Amino acid sequence: MARIIGVANQKGGVGKTTTAINLAASLAVLEYKTLLVDADPQANSTTGVGFDLQNITKSLYDCMVNEATAQEVILKTTIPHLDLIPSHIDLVGAEIEMIDYPNRELVLKKILEPIANEYDLIIIDCSPSLGLITVNALTAADSVVIPVQTEFFALEGLGKLLNTVKIVQNRLNTELEIEGILMTMYDSRLRLSNQVVAEVRRHFDDLVFSSIIHRNSKLSEAPSEGKPVIQYDADSKGAVNYLNLAKEILQNNNLTKINQEDKLLS
């Protein structure tokens, strides 16, 4: 049964989609069968792994509203072991269309259940809001990764997201865990970046990943080429950072393969 991990933060520009794409790609490169679910109407994860939105005929929207199965919608990416459930701008309207659904918070969970045995990990790129689609993702997930940028307003909105996680834990998904808080856009030359990392670690301690995502030009360039950074430039700092994150998550969940090198890349 796949471990399902949501990547969520309602605050924009924190590296949420960058994390979803590159974590999923890194897991696939490590030879874990991985499904990336693009649950963000902006569909940046879909284009970020090389798909043209004009050529997408069925998306997560069709699963959530038109009762298409996940199998009908899944696309193979150019990266071995990595599949995608694409998104579409139509997903913006799904929350309104689902308003009268019975058990509307469980729709995504029911979509993923029939295919969960086919993957080692499922990564969900959540919508940048705390609406019904994000609640669906948190209800379907085993855990959530929360990207936080190492900038002045880093903790802004984090309390609101953690409160939403708590509500979902209490009412909809008692098994939901916080996989970890991920520090992104880190620049070691800036005193502010170091102060923010120290502050977040002081507040949240063990919840913060050891892996940190540095500011990296290759991470910024890769989406315009429709490639995860590990495919765009495997030797870049960004690629190494996300490989480290993937390995840390695998180790934390005792999913590391026996023949796989356990040591994190430096």
Side-chain angles (χ1 to χ4, degrees), residues 97-107 110:
E97 295 183 62
M98 291 163 60
I99 205 81
D100 293 326
Y101 280 23
N103 300 317
R104 61 190 179 186
E105 297 89 356
L106 301 174
V107 173
K110 288 175 180 171

Side-chain angles (χ1 to χ4, degrees), residues 150-153 187 189-198:
T150 53
E151 293 175 0
F152 187 69
F153 293 113
D187 187 338
R189 299 167 299 177
L190 299 179
R191 184 191 300 172
L192 178 61
S193 280
N194 293 302
Q195 286 174 337
V196 171
V197 170

Side-chain angles (χ1 to χ4, degrees), residues 117-130:
N117 285 328
E118 296 173 30
Y119 294 95
D120 297 311
L121 294 111
I122 297 174
I123 307 298
I124 307 174
D125 182 13
C126 297
S127 175
S129 72
L130 296 180

Side-chain angles (χ1 to χ4, degrees), residues 9-16 42 128-129 149 185:
N9 194 328
Q10 81 280 12
K11 193 175 183 319
V14 299
K16 174 185 62 66
Q42 295 175 86
S129 72
Q149 84 282 33
M185 304 180 192

Side-chain angles (χ1 to χ4, degrees), residues 3-265:
R3 181 165 184 83
I4 303 175
I5 301 174
V7 182
N9 194 328
Q10 81 280 12
K11 193 175 183 319
V14 299
K16 174 185 62 66
T17 294
T18 298
T19 295
I21 292 170
N22 291 296
L23 172 58
S26 296
L27 290 165
V29 165
L30 293 170
E31 300 186 354
Y32 289 81
K33 187 86 171 101
T34 306
L35 176 67
L36 175 59
V37 179
D38 191 349
D40 183 347
Q42 295 175 86
N44 290 335
S45 277
T46 301
T47 57
V49 291
F51 291 96
D52 184 338
L53 296 181
Q54 293 183 328
N55 297 331
I56 301 292
T57 55
K58 284 189 177 178
S59 69
L60 182 61
Y61 171 83
D62 295 285
C63 295
M64 298 192 87
V65 175
N66 297 329
E67 297 185 4
T69 65
Q71 286 287 16
E72 293 174 65
V73 175
I74 288 171
L75 300 171
K76 296 248 175 243
T77 74
T78 57
I79 298 175
H81 309 298
L82 180 61
D83 292 349
L84 171 76
I85 291 182
S87 185
H88 192 277
I89 190 65
D90 288 349
L91 199 58
V92 167
E95 297 203 359
I96 296 167
E97 295 183 62
M98 291 163 60
I99 205 81
D100 293 326
Y101 280 23
N103 300 317
R104 61 190 179 186
E105 297 89 356
L106 301 174
V107 173
L108 183 55
K109 183 181 175 73
K110 288 175 180 171
I111 291 165
L112 296 179
E113 274 174 352
I115 56 164
N117 285 328
E118 296 173 30
Y119 294 95
D120 297 311
L121 294 111
I122 297 174
I123 307 298
I124 307 174
D125 182 13
C126 297
S127 175
S129 72
L130 296 180
L132 184 56
I133 303 293
T134 298
V135 170
N136 259 266
L138 295 177
T139 304
D142 297 303
S143 62
V144 57
V145 169
I146 304 170
V148 173
Q149 84 282 33
T150 53
E151 293 175 0
F152 187 69
F153 293 113
L155 298 179
E156 187 184 70
L158 189 55
K160 199 174 282 188
L161 176 60
L162 293 173
N163 191 46
T164 300
V165 169
K166 199 169 287 185
I167 290 168
V168 171
Q169 286 171 328
N170 290 337
R171 301 182 188 173
L172 297 163
N173 181 4
T174 54
E175 306 296 310
L176 180 65
E177 302 170 351
I178 293 175
E179 189 72 44
I181 294 170
L182 177 68
M183 306 307 300
T184 64
M185 304 180 192
Y186 174 71
D187 187 338
S188 59
R189 299 167 299 177
L190 299 179
R191 184 191 300 172
L192 178 61
S193 280
N194 293 302
Q195 286 174 337
V196 171
V197 170
E199 183 182 6
V200 172
R201 288 199 191 282
R202 184 166 53 83
H203 270 78
F204 297 104
D205 196 23
D206 293 343
L207 287 179
V208 185
F209 285 112
S210 298
S211 304
I212 291 180
I213 310 302
H214 292 71
R215 267 195 193 281
N216 180 248
S217 60
K218 301 299 182 185
L219 271 177
S220 305
E221 293 165 14
S224 65
E225 299 293 325
K227 293 178 179 178
V229 71
I230 200 161
Q231 200 177 28
Y232 180 68
D233 185 347
D235 295 324
S236 67
K237 190 79 171 172
V240 172
N241 288 166
Y242 276 109
L243 266 176
N244 280 342
L245 174 65
K247 290 185 175 186
E248 186 173 350
I249 287 173
L250 291 169
Q251 287 175 351
N252 289 348
N253 290 290
N254 297 315
L255 293 172
T256 309
K257 293 174 181 173
I258 293 169
N259 62 349
Q260 182 187 308
E261 181 188 11
D262 290 346
K263 188 180 172 187
L264 296 184
L265 297 171

